[in-house]
Amino acid sequence: MRHDYGYFEEDHLVSVGELSLWRRILGYVRPHATPVAGAVFLSLVITATGLVLPYLVSIAIDRYIVNQDLGIDLRIHGLGRVALFFFGFIVLEFFANLFQVVLLEWTGQHVMHRLRQDLFRHLLDLDLPFFHRNPVGKLVTRVTNDIQNMHEMFTSVIVTLFNDLVRVVGILAILFWMNWRMALILCLLVPVIAANTIWFGRLARNVFREIRTSLARLNSYLQESLSGLEIIQLYLREKDAAERFTALNRGYFSQTIRQITLFGIFMPLLEVLATVAVALVIWYGGGEIVRNRMSIGVLVAFLSYMRLFFQPLRELSQKYSIVQSAMASAERIFQLMDSRPGLKSAASPLRPETVSGAVRFQNVTFGYEPGRPVLEDFSLAIAAGETVAVVGPTGAGKSTLINLLERFYDPEQGEIFFDDTESRRLDLFWLRSRIGLVMQDVFILPDTVRENILLGREISGTSLDEVLEQAQFAGVVRGLPQGLDTRIGEGGTALSAGQRQLLALARVLVRDPRILILDEATSSVDTETEMLLETALERVMAGRTSIIIAHRLSTIRRADRILVLQKGKIVEQGDHLELMRKNGLYRRLQDLQHTEYHGVAPEGTG
């Protein structure tokens, strides 16, 4: 049985020669054209110095070591000058390499920094359906591993590939200039080496793709498991989770072994071909020396150039794989950046100066899956300043109302109005800034209490103190070690569920929204904290349009109107006493909850 854990790689594997991808990559490189040009120039210097060294060895052998016509002093003096030049070129090559590495790393880091920033900003602008379709592990792989693959290409491949290609062409030109017959012997093996390289590259493409797929599945499952560790331990699923992780880890291990095996076959094969070429050159060149048709220095230089010739060929094969891996990563990164939010923005979005807070659903139909509507022909009008509670069994559509109000989704049919303006005509950021949402699970940043309340907003100290008092959070802050500067969240002080709810109310007050939505805000707090929350809610809801969604029916009795939802439709509405007298679904929900909490039916309900 195959486990994908929500992750699927794209079937298409990009070609290294994909021009559209290279254009987009170069778009990120273009602002750094000067350092890249400097790295290219330095690569020419490195290539030139590397090609000069064997020629200097040839001069030293032929002119000063085996040449008996010169005196000993002249020969020693000549060797000293050659050695001095040799040392000078080595020093030049060292510093050229040093500065090239610095330039490439500087450029690569800047390019990857900008690409990672752009990708993350783009993710923040995508809508919720996108994140439901794409697991977190897959997206994390895009922002981390895939961008790291591209970084490796920028820093160790692009310019050095150019460097190696120039070196190969330069070596061939020198070899033909030195002895065209021996150069032809070498050229006979080039097609075999090229075929071997192409064969290796094609196999490596598939292996690298499988490795990325396995790694993404591993990341996805690891993230899901660690996020749900409490549930895994609660239901004693540690063994099952470990077995699943072992299966995924074994898959990643086997793909990595395939890659190592592939390199283990290719690299020795290339070495064998290089050794055959050297043997042929020694056989032919040695015969030429015996016949006095070639000097020893030329043969030594020729063998040195051959070594330099095969070195970039070996590296070209490996770097081709790196480029292939990076291009596949680039394709996936740009595919992600090309994904567009499903929510369409108006050509000229409206930002009204004032908003009273009236909300109206008009014949709204919506479902998360085609053909399975959660709300169907749903209509509802909420007056400005009215407090409306929404109750109903699980799956009735309560949370869907929130998603539509916050415009995380758009209705398939019908319209939603804020005051008299349809939601799709409003600026999305403006709309969400006018709605305050307090949920059961409060997201806490690993930061100070102050930053968790303000979330980047500016507010005076006096105003913040008023917010804390109004949200009943001031007492909590006074009890913290460093007050507002206490670090909370991961690695910091832990807040209780009720304290997090009070913090969420403080966040809402800082934004001062016209519409307040409470989604199960008091469902998991103790009695004492619930009393604080009730007091805070009374102050926070004053003068605002408020929508309360709760399973604990005791928290909604203050509502001006209670709506009872069932299968996406309003089946009852009225205040608490009216609905209890109707003896309908609301009454049954009350009776069930009272029985659940106390084990008996409420008095006076017979």
Side-chain angles (χ1 to χ4, degrees), residues 59-72:
I59 291 175
I61 292 173
D62 289 340
R63 290 188 185 179
Y64 304 112
I65 295 177
V66 300
N67 187 0
Q68 301 296 324
D69 296 334
L70 293 177
I72 293 178

Side-chain angles (χ1 to χ4, degrees), residues 263-530:
F263 272 90
I265 295 172
F266 171 73
M267 298 308 295
L269 186 57
L270 201 60
E271 289 293 337
V272 168
L273 293 174
T275 304
V276 169
V278 170
L280 290 174
V281 167
I282 291 175
W283 169 75
Y284 179 81
E288 291 292 285
I289 292 173
V290 170
R291 299 183 186 92
N292 291 321
R293 295 176 184 173
M294 186 170 61
S295 66
I296 296 176
V298 170
L299 180 60
V300 171
F302 204 96
L303 292 172
S304 297
Y305 281 120
M306 284 183 63
R307 180 182 59 81
L308 293 176
F309 179 80
F310 282 104
Q311 180 183 346
L313 284 182
R314 285 192 293 267
E315 293 177 355
L316 281 172
S317 304
Q318 297 176 46
K319 288 170 183 174
Y320 176 85
S321 300
I322 295 174
V323 172
Q324 177 61 59
S325 175
M327 292 299 287
S329 293
E331 180 194 33
R332 288 162 171 78
I333 289 169
F334 290 126
Q335 279 179 347
L336 182 55
M337 294 184 75
D338 288 339
S339 56
R340 292 290 174 262
L343 301 176
K344 304 297 181 183
S345 298
S348 300
L350 303 176
R351 301 173 63 91
E353 294 184 6
T354 59
V355 58
S356 65
V359 175
R360 179 161 51 93
F361 287 78
Q362 183 171 302
N363 306 118
V364 169
T365 297
F366 173 79
Y368 298 101
E369 299 177 12
R372 299 182 63 183
V374 178
L375 300 178
E376 189 170 6
D377 197 25
F378 180 87
S379 295
L380 169 67
I382 302 175
E386 184 181 10
T387 297
V388 173
V390 183
V391 300
T394 300
K398 303 185 296 296
S399 297
T400 301
L401 291 179
I402 297 175
N403 290 334
L404 292 172
L405 279 173
E406 290 275 5
R407 210 185 161 211
F408 293 136
Y409 299 86
D410 279 335
E412 298 167 11
Q413 298 176 18
E415 296 173 308
I416 301 172
F417 291 89
F418 289 85
D419 292 344
D420 293 320
T421 306
E422 209 274 324
S423 62
R424 282 171 283 212
R425 298 179 57 201
L426 294 168
D427 180 86
L428 185 59
F429 294 100
W430 180 91
L431 172 64
R432 290 176 181 168
S433 70
R434 298 305 186 272
I435 301 175
L437 175 60
V438 181
M439 304 182 70
Q440 177 182 355
D441 296 322
V442 181
F443 178 68
I444 299 294
L445 297 170
D447 208 328
T448 64
V449 174
R450 187 190 308 276
E451 287 304 316
N452 269 278
I453 294 174
L454 298 180
L455 296 178
R457 293 175 179 268
E458 297 291 336
I459 186 172
S460 66
T462 304
S463 299
L464 182 56
D465 290 339
E466 293 175 357
V467 164
L468 296 177
E469 291 292 342
Q470 195 171 356
Q472 302 294 298
F473 195 54
V476 177
V477 171
R478 284 192 290 269
L480 295 173
Q482 286 85 40
L484 285 169
D485 295 320
T486 302
R487 188 175 181 85
I488 58 175
E490 187 175 347
T493 301
L495 297 181
S496 68
Q499 290 171 336
R500 290 198 296 270
Q501 295 293 340
L502 295 175
L503 185 148
L505 287 175
R507 279 180 184 169
V508 168
L509 286 173
V510 167
R511 296 174 63 185
D512 192 23
R514 295 304 307 151
I515 301 171
L516 177 65
I517 301 174
L518 304 175
D519 184 11
E520 310 289 351
T522 62
S523 62
S524 58
V525 298
D526 55 73
T527 304
E528 182 180 354
T529 306
E530 184 175 2

Side-chain angles (χ1 to χ4, degrees), residues 8 31 49 73 97-98 125 168 181 198 225 260 271 304 313-314 372 402 448 491 517 545 558:
F8 297 92
T49 53
D73 292 339
N97 265 308
L98 173 64
D125 291 334
V168 167
R181 292 183 179 84
I198 293 171
S225 300
I260 295 171
E271 289 293 337
S304 297
L313 284 182
R314 285 192 293 267
R372 299 182 63 183
I402 297 175
T448 64
I517 301 174
T545 303
R558 71 160 64 89

Side-chain angles (χ1 to χ4, degrees), residues 24-50:
R24 297 186 70 166
I25 293 171
L26 291 175
Y28 279 89
V29 179
R30 196 170 292 117
H32 309 287
T34 300
V36 170
V40 170
F41 171 75
L42 289 172
S43 73
L44 295 175
V45 173
I46 294 167
T47 301
T49 53

Side-chain angles (χ1 to χ4, degrees), residues 43-44 46-48 50-51 159-177 183 186-187 189-191 193-194 197 270 302 304-317 319:
S43 73
L44 295 175
I46 294 167
T47 301
L51 295 180
V159 175
T160 49
L161 265 178
F162 172 80
N163 197 11
D164 289 340
L165 289 171
V166 171
R167 179 179 296 180
V168 167
V169 173
I171 289 172
L172 281 175
I174 292 172
L175 292 180
F176 273 97
W177 171 70
L186 178 63
C187 288
L189 291 174
V190 169
I193 296 171
T197 302
L270 201 60
F302 204 96
S304 297
Y305 281 120
M306 284 183 63
R307 180 182 59 81
L308 293 176
F309 179 80
F310 282 104
Q311 180 183 346
L313 284 182
R314 285 192 293 267
E315 293 177 355
L316 281 172
S317 304
K319 288 170 183 174

